[in-house]
Amino acid sequence: MTCYRSINHRVDANSLRLYRWYYSRLWQWGLGLTIAVVLMLAFIERPSSFSYTSDPRFRPPPWEPPCGLTEGIEIVCLIIFAIDLTTKSYLIGWDEFRKCKWLIVYILAVSASVIDWTLTLSMFCDQNLRVRRLIRPFFLLQNSSLMKKTLKCIKRTLPEIASVILLLALHLCLFTMIGMLLFAKGEVRSHNGEWETYFRDLPTSLSSLLVLLTTANNPDVMIPAYSLNRGYSIFFILFSGFGTYFLMNLLTAIIYNQFRGYLLMSVQASILRRRLGVRAAFEVMSCQGLQCKSLEHVDKHLNITPFECACFPVSLQQLSDGFIQWEAFRSLFDELDKDRIKVHPPKPEYNSPLLQRLQLVFSHYYVMIVGNAVALANVMCICTILVLDSEKSIAERDDYYMEVINCFFILYYLMEMSLKILAFGWRGYLSYRNNIFDGLLTVCLLLLQITIFATYRLPFPKWLVSSLWSYFSLNKYIL
Amino acid sequence: MTCYRSINHRVDANSLRLYRWYYSRLWQWGLGLTIAVVLMLAFIERPSSFSYTSDPRFRPPPWEPPCGLTEGIEIVCLIIFAIDLTTKSYLIGWDEFRKCKWLIVYILAVSASVIDWTLTLSMFCDQNLRVRRLIRPFFLLQNSSLMKKTLKCIKRTLPEIASVILLLALHLCLFTMIGMLLFAKGEVRSHNGEWETYFRDLPTSLSSLLVLLTTANNPDVMIPAYSLNRGYSIFFILFSGFGTYFLMNLLTAIIYNQFRGYLLMSVQASILRRRLGVRAAFEVMSCQGLQCKSLEHVDKHLNITPFECACFPVSLQQLSDGFIQWEAFRSLFDELDKDRIKVHPPKPEYNSPLLQRLQLVFSHYYVMIVGNAVALANVMCICTILVLDSEKSIAERDDYYMEVINCFFILYYLMEMSLKILAFGWRGYLSYRNNIFDGLLTVCLLLLQITIFATYRLPFPKWLVSSLWSYFSLNKYIL
């Protein structure tokens, strides 16, 4: 029994309205925000080591929130979870609720959190055993159907990989034993570095080889033995060859295969459910004597954008004698499923021949390539200056050349922007998403540069300006 | 145009005999051995650093082969390659030869090697530029059709991964620039360890981040900046998150997908070619008036084992009126394609009720499980002794308990072996491959133990005995 968004819910008018509200973007975003807040609390709760530096020598004493602040935020979140739980349980009804293990655990989690919360308050925040922090990740799992699917998939993958993991464990055990026998403590006169460092006792040997399986200590673990006799490398080659390159990759391949199969199946099931839903809707409506007029208020209930509305009448023309057939009904919903093709507004028409010539030139594909080349040149300039200035500290750097170059490029970008607006028109320019991005960054850079010139002092760290520059240039190049 | 084993070859009787001989197991193994010898030469050729230790302080002067020894071996190999080349070219004929680039390069490689060889001899082995060593790996590539397929697949994969590699390069370049700006040399009073160690100049920064892409310097590269301010970790998290976990895995997935598709296609093509061959054989034979009698000497030409011969008459019974139909002909070849089911010889029949009872008990599945449990116990014993003795050197170890335990286990294994022989019979015991393996190891261990008892001195290193023991025990457990 899965508890993903199910079709088993109450269907009376009030419940349907509640259902629609519950699955509205607003409520789901609010729930997501609540979960984020609950998980973020760990950063400021006592005992928190959250400070700007991680070096304990320079760390200032952490900020301690007054007793009741984090608890106050938390109880609000818990109340929201309780409301969420009540709504969800009411919507699916008692029969479905009993079958759904996730919801039952959700109740337990919320109640345990509330009990622990009252205990904390009754002890005036002096609690050392913090139980409810362990429960918090469950709220994230419970709310995300992708997480639930991933968990289920992990559960299904475990038996498949168990045999490989057993083989890996046996491989490790066998080689640990052989290694301990091979690199046993030598006589006093011949110093055995391998035994001393990596094969002193069973835990050391096991961990040496376990780390070797990840190739993290790859040549180091071999060197003392290898310098005694090259033949010892055979042991490590055999171990890595079978363990790292065969068994570990087998593990990866099995997991890859399992997840791929499961996610494919889940998408197929989702499409099947959708088809079934459309069929059921048709059956219900045809029982009630469906006429094409009743379809006309469908668009009020579906969230149909103006663009989709435009294609709706085309499909409705397929109706014959006022009754809609199953084929037409299905193709109507297929139509709604399709990706919307974005239509850009038409280019403005100019009367002047000069403007027409300019429009023709600057709406050409090659202009984009020239723009990319200029952006690449910009990156090159920044790189060159970086290489030349790398030995100087920020205060020592002479930014004269840098700023001249920046001005040149900003002028170019501004010109490109205005010519594009001329060529595509204001609305046409904004209908391309990367144009919006370019334009925003250009305006940002212009404002920054003006601030620099006006005050002769930089209010921001200089690297921020340069990073923005390089980010902008590279992004132009990639897009 | 591929040069795998092709169906375009001469078909007159002499050429066919030559063809059969050329693709016989003997010649192909001989060719493989020659290639191995040519590649192995590098270990003893001047200047070789091949010695038992890799430590240059203790390394003895390497053995220098007399001039002419390695050259003598090499020219024999080259002559064999020349014969191989001539035979192959003769077999496929001039028209096919011209189309096959691999063979043309093969000619060039052999001639270049021979020319370089004469130069070496004329200089009395005092040559510093060793051209033909570079050519040797080609002989391996040329001879292996799997290698050729892999090469072809790599060639097809390169354009697919080029875009990801370009993206990776841009990612690296962008983050290097931002990193250099972020960790610029600070003022004198605030010491900036990050700049000093990892972001001093462009090559250093680039290599720091390139190594970070493989996670090899993972926390180290971040620590100086992280101890200044935790916020700097965002830079490294973004870099690793996109570069290592997204782009690098994308690269792996693309390569995996490409190779998977290509190898699948290659297997399909191979099956198709086989089907086509069977059909062509049928057409040719039916033109010549195929009768079922002509099939009876087919088995002389195909390498048919006695077992396959046994199932041959069954298929021949499908013949109607002396002529074979296409369906029956095809199913006949399908029959030959099938994996052979190994039939074990029947168990011996005993008259004595005691022996019958013993046979019943020791041919049971549970006996194998008990055997595995005993082998596991053996491994446990060795582990325990290893842990107890790990601090002692080999000379200090008291092997009394070890040998008592070994004797016990050897007696058990001997008993198990003889009872299995009793239960399955001599031929039945040998028909299981893991029984052969078990038996051989048991006999080896017995002989070793007898040697130890007879001489009270161990002629082999002790770890060899123990490794054999543990290897044996674990193998019993796995099989």
Side-chain angles (χ1 to χ4, degrees), chain A residues 51-53 174 227 229-230 474, chain B residues 51-53 227 229-230 474:
Chain A
S51 60
Y52 73 91
T53 170
L174 172 68
S227 73
N229 192 325
R230 282 180 199 272
L474 263 181
Chain B
S51 59
Y52 73 92
T53 169
S227 73
N229 192 326
R230 283 178 199 270
L474 263 181

Side-chain angles (χ1 to χ4, degrees), chain B residues 33-293:
Chain B
L33 190 72
T34 316
I35 292 166
V37 166
V38 155
L39 291 175
M40 290 281 194
L41 274 183
F43 283 112
I44 57 163
E45 269 176 344
R46 276 200 313 163
S48 154
S49 64
F50 195 60
S51 59
Y52 73 92
T53 169
S54 69
D55 197 330
R57 289 169 301 173
F58 311 123
R59 199 153 59 191
W63 176 66
E64 299 225 342
C67 176
L69 177 68
T70 58
E71 284 75 13
I73 298 171
E74 192 167 8
I75 194 68
V76 172
C77 294
L78 287 177
I79 289 170
I80 293 175
F81 289 141
I83 294 171
D84 173 62
L85 177 63
T86 324
T87 321
K88 212 167 179 178
S89 319
Y90 170 76
L91 280 176
I92 66 170
W94 175 243
D95 286 337
E96 289 295 318
F97 177 78
R98 275 188 309 181
K99 287 189 228 152
C100 180
K101 280 178 202 134
W102 277 104
L103 277 184
I104 293 169
V105 181
Y106 196 10
I107 290 188
L108 292 178
V110 172
S111 350
S113 295
V114 170
I115 291 168
D116 189 57
W117 181 83
T118 48
L119 279 177
T120 309
L121 271 201
S122 67
M123 284 190 229
F124 300 107
C125 310
D126 200 23
Q127 196 185 20
N128 284 322
L129 192 70
R130 302 169 194 95
V131 179
R132 66 180 187 282
R133 295 192 194 178
L134 296 176
I135 302 173
R136 284 178 193 162
F138 173 80
F139 296 127
L140 180 65
L141 282 185
Q142 199 281 331
N143 193 48
S144 155
S145 83
L146 190 68
M147 288 272 188
K148 282 184 201 165
K149 273 182 191 167
T150 312
L151 265 190
K152 202 175 169 187
C153 189
I154 290 172
K155 212 175 82 186
R156 288 163 55 119
T157 311
L158 280 183
E160 298 276 328
I161 59 174
S163 60
V164 181
I165 287 187
L166 182 72
L167 210 61
L168 210 56
L170 281 175
H171 172 73
L172 200 63
C173 171
L174 173 68
F175 271 82
T176 306
M177 280 165 56
I178 298 181
M180 282 183 78
L181 292 161
L182 203 58
F183 307 116
K185 189 181 179 182
E187 284 78 41
V188 182
R189 57 188 168 81
S190 73
H191 177 74
N192 188 341
E194 188 74 37
W195 171 78
E196 214 157 71
T197 326
Y198 298 108
F199 288 90
R200 193 168 201 106
D201 44 30
L202 193 67
T204 319
S205 319
L206 208 60
S207 63
S208 295
L209 288 182
L210 193 64
V211 174
L212 181 58
L213 213 56
T214 68
T215 72
N217 61 357
N218 184 266
D220 308 352
V221 73
M222 193 172 83
I223 292 304
Y226 189 61
S227 73
L228 277 180
N229 192 326
R230 283 178 199 270
Y232 285 125
S233 65
I234 296 171
F235 171 79
F236 295 100
I237 289 171
L238 282 181
F239 179 79
S240 290
F242 192 68
T244 309
Y245 299 108
F246 179 68
L247 286 181
M248 292 293 270
N249 281 334
L250 192 67
L251 206 66
T252 311
I254 290 175
I255 294 174
Y256 173 92
N257 229 22
Q258 279 284 317
F259 265 71
R260 191 165 158 268
Y262 181 73
L263 293 180
L264 192 73
M265 222 172 64
S266 129
V267 169
Q268 281 170 345
S270 152
I271 289 175
L272 202 74
R273 273 202 297 271
R274 197 189 181 96
R275 271 283 149 83
L276 202 69
V278 171
R279 178 80 213 188
F282 178 75
E283 293 290 340
V284 167
M285 288 165 101
S286 68
C287 282
Q288 296 167 358
L290 175 73
Q291 293 204 354
C292 76
K293 286 200 178 74

Side-chain angles (χ1 to χ4, degrees), chain A residues 290-293 295 313-329:
Chain A
L290 176 73
Q291 293 203 354
C292 76
K293 285 199 178 74
L295 265 180
V314 182
S315 309
L316 283 181
Q317 282 170 9
Q318 296 170 355
L319 305 180
S320 58
D321 61 30
F323 284 90
I324 191 165
Q325 302 298 314
W326 162 239
E327 289 301 322
F329 189 80

